[in-house]
Amino acid sequence: MANASAKKTAAQNEKTIKNIQLGMLVASLLSILLRLLFRRNTLTLSFRTLLTSSTYLITFYISRFLTNVGTPKRSASGDLLSAGDDLSQAGMTEYLFDILYITWGCQVGSAAVGDWVWWSYAVIPLYAGYRGYNLVSPFLLGRPAAAGADDVPPVEPTSKRQEKLRKRNERGDPRVKTQQRK
């Protein structure tokens, strides 16, 4: 029997998988429909058409991967055996969703306003390079990961009462007795 957390994850995954399937359908049909209506010249066999159709394959494989890892497994009686991987987790899953959304936007945008929209697809490798540089640069350049982290002494959190007592002590108020720490 699955616990409440697994059931919640399974329900979220099922909703997310339906949204992926709907997004695939809407983006693909809208892109093809807009090309048929406004940009018939882009439907001829060319390098541009091959690139555009390759993005359909990319979105298909990413959506299939997310569907496979996120689909909850159920027994024959309908009991939840496994919730599947959490599709709302950060990391690689999040990046795959970003790639899906950017690709769908480029597909529909290029069909609606022109092929120059595909330049926004360059965001994916640029961001990957940025993340990779931030991961590797501390080791290559020999500097700490957080710049200036060694310069600032750690500040102990204080309550309002502690802050008030510290100010009284600095003024030399006789009501405050100073104790030395050992």
Side-chain angles (χ1 to χ4, degrees), residues 2 6-7 10-11 14 71-83:
K7 289 179 183 178
E14 288 172 343
T71 302
K73 310 292 187 272
R74 298 192 183 274
S75 67
S77 63
D79 292 336
L80 184 65
L81 298 175
S82 168

Side-chain angles (χ1 to χ4, degrees), residues 97-171:
F97 276 108
D98 292 343
I99 292 171
L100 271 180
Y101 300 147
I102 290 171
T103 306
W104 291 340
C106 288
Q107 287 172 349
V108 174
S110 68
V113 295
D115 288 331
W116 58 269
V117 174
W118 285 108
W119 284 102
S120 62
Y121 214 57
V123 166
I124 296 169
L126 289 174
Y127 184 71
Y130 167 75
R131 292 288 297 184
Y133 174 76
N134 283 341
L135 286 174
V136 174
S137 66
F139 302 109
L140 295 177
L141 302 175
R143 58 184 167 143
D150 296 333
D151 302 339
V152 180
V155 177
E156 293 182 26
T158 58
S159 66
K160 289 182 180 181
R161 182 175 185 275
Q162 289 173 332
E163 190 65 27
K164 188 163 58 170
L165 290 173
R166 185 189 59 81
K167 286 181 183 178
R168 281 184 185 169
N169 187 27
E170 287 174 358
R171 286 192 315 246

Side-chain angles (χ1 to χ4, degrees), residues 50-69:
L50 292 175
L51 285 177
T52 303
S53 54
S54 69
T55 62
Y56 287 109
L57 290 174
I58 291 170
T59 58
F60 174 75
Y61 285 123
I62 291 175
S63 67
R64 289 302 307 154
F65 173 75
L66 291 172
T67 301
N68 287 340
V69 299

